[in-house]
Amino acid sequence: MIAAVGLVVGVLAGVLLQPEVPLALQPYLPIAVVAALDAVFGGLRAVLDGIFDDKVFVVSFLSNAVVAALIVYLGDQLGVGSQLSTGVVVVLGVRIFSNAAAIRRHLFNA
Amino acid sequence: MSPVRRLRRALHPAPRPVDPHRDPAASTRLLTEVMERPLDPGYAAAARRRARTGLPPTRAARTATVLALLVVGALLAVAGVRAAAGAPAADRGRTQLAQRVQDGTARADELAARVSELRAGNARLAASLGGAPAASADARASGLQVAAAATAVTGPGLSVVLDDAATPAGAPAPGPTSGRVVDRDVQLVVNGLWAAGAEAVAVNGQRLGALSSIRAAGEAVLVDYRPLTPPYTVSAVGDPAAMQTAFATSVAGRYLQVLRDNYGLRAEVAPADRLDLPAARLDLRFARAGAAGQ
C-alpha cells in the first residue's frame, strides 16, 4: 500500500516539479523508463506470487537502469547506439509483456 | 598428398556426423528463457531464504522500495511530460543544433575578440617601434600619396619668388635672355628646395610630381607643358627654418645670389605658415602597377 503511495507521489512530484533533464542524460531517458517499467512489473508479479522481496526489487531496478544505460552509452560510443537501444527495448519489452500476462492471470484468472 | 589436394581438403572438409544428443532448439534457448521465465529468479531465491530463516522484511528495505518507486514514478512523469511537450527525438536534434550554433557563435566571438586584441597589440608594438617600417598600411599609403604628389597637401614651408629684372622704360635689352628668369633658374631653385628637405613643391600652383618637367619654349617657362607668366612663385612644404638655412647655403642659394647681384633678377625667399598645394597631374597611359619580379 505504502509502495503504491510512493509511486503516486513520485509521479506527482515529476509532473509538478518538472525537473530539467541534463542534455547528456536525455538519450537515456526512454531506456531508463523501460527498465524501470520492467522492474515494476516484475515486482508486481512477485507481490501477486507472494514472493516479493524489497532487496531484490531495489537491486533489480537499479541494475536494470544502470546496465541499460551502459549498453546505450557503449552503443553511442561505437556508433550503433540506436541498434543497441532497440535490442534493450525488445528484451525488456518481452519481459514486461510476459510479466503483465502473469499479472493478468493472477488478477482475472484468465 | 600434393599441396593442392591438401588445400582442397582443408577448404572443403567432409560433413560432420550430427550429434544425436544435441538439443535441436539450442539456438533459440535464449528467446525461450526470456519468454518463459521473465521473473527475476532472485525473487524465488529470496523467498526460499526467507522461508528458511523466517525473518520479516526490515524497515530499511521497505524504505528503499518506496524510494525506488518514487524514482520510478518521477521517471515516468518526466518522460511523459517530455513526450507531451514534443517529439523527444526532434527536440533533441534541434537542441543539439542550437547548442552547436551557440558554440559556433561563442567561438566566433572569441576569435573576433582575439583579432581585435592582436590588432591592438600590433598597433602598440608599431607605436613602440615608432618607425616607418612598422607604420600601418593606411599611414604608409597616405605617405606614398603625398610623396607621389597624387593628393593636395597643406603645411608650413618656404616660398621663393623669382621675377625678371626691372628694365628701365625705353632702354634696349642687352640680350634675349639677359635679366629674364629662364627655365634653368626655376629648375635650380626647385632642385635646391628638394635638396633642402622640401616634401612637396609647386611652381605658380603647378604641383611638381615624378612626371613633371620644367622647360622653356621661346621666352616662356613651361611647367608640365603649361606656360607660366612671371613672377614665378616656387612653394615648398617643409620645415621653414631648416629649409631656409639649407637653401641659403646650397648651390641654388648661391646661384640666386649671383643672379640677383649680376643680372638684377628679383628673388625673395620667405617662410610661410601655411601653403596649400594642389595635386599634380598624373596621366599614366602605359605604365601599369606590378609586383617586383613579375
Side-chain angles (χ1 to χ4, degrees), chain A residues 4-89:
Chain A
V5 170
L7 191 64
V8 170
V9 169
V11 170
L12 286 181
V15 169
L16 294 181
L17 297 180
Q18 297 218 355
E20 192 65 35
V21 183
L23 198 65
L25 292 182
Q26 281 182 6
Y28 307 111
L29 192 60
I31 292 295
V33 166
V34 175
L37 276 181
D38 175 56
V40 167
F41 276 95
L44 195 55
R45 182 182 172 185
V47 167
L48 294 175
D49 283 351
I51 55 171
F52 182 78
D53 186 85
D54 293 300
K55 195 175 129 197
V56 174
F57 171 73
V58 171
V59 169
S60 76
F61 164 63
L62 290 180
S63 70
N64 261 5
V66 167
V67 168
L70 208 63
I71 289 175
V72 174
Y73 173 75
L74 200 66
D76 272 344
Q77 299 303 308
L78 295 176
V80 289
S82 58
Q83 289 93 325
L84 275 183
S85 299
T86 308
V88 169
V89 168

Side-chain angles (χ1 to χ4, degrees), chain B residues 161-164 180-181 186 203-206 219-223 226-233:
Chain B
V161 181
L162 298 173
D163 202 353
D164 298 341
R180 298 183 63 92
V181 176
V186 179
V203 181
N204 278 18
Q206 291 288 319
E219 295 180 355
V221 173
L222 273 66
V223 171
R226 292 188 184 194
L228 305 182
T229 54
Y232 306 100
T233 307

Side-chain angles (χ1 to χ4, degrees), chain A residues 2-3 6-7 9-11 14-15 18-19 21 23 26-27 29 32-33 36-37 39-40 42-43 45-46 49 51-54 56-58 60-61 91 94-95 98-99, chain B residues 31 34-40 42-44 46-47 49-50 57-58 61-62 64-66 68-79 81-82 91-92 95-96 99:
Chain A
I2 191 160
L7 191 64
V9 169
V11 170
V15 169
Q18 297 218 355
V21 183
L23 198 65
Q26 281 182 6
L29 192 60
V33 166
L37 276 181
V40 167
R45 182 182 172 185
D49 283 351
I51 55 171
F52 182 78
D53 186 85
D54 293 300
V56 174
F57 171 73
V58 171
S60 76
F61 164 63
V91 169
V94 167
R95 278 171 55 130
S98 46
N99 275 334
Chain B
L31 277 178
V34 167
M35 291 296 290
E36 296 294 321
R37 305 198 310 132
L39 189 57
D40 204 321
Y43 282 120
R49 201 164 55 238
R50 217 169 34 242
T58 63
R62 182 52 37 109
T65 301
V66 171
L69 279 169
L70 210 70
V71 171
V72 169
L75 211 57
L76 290 177
V78 169
V81 165
R82 276 186 61 78
D91 195 32
R92 200 195 325 166
T95 316
Q96 281 175 353
Q99 185 70 39

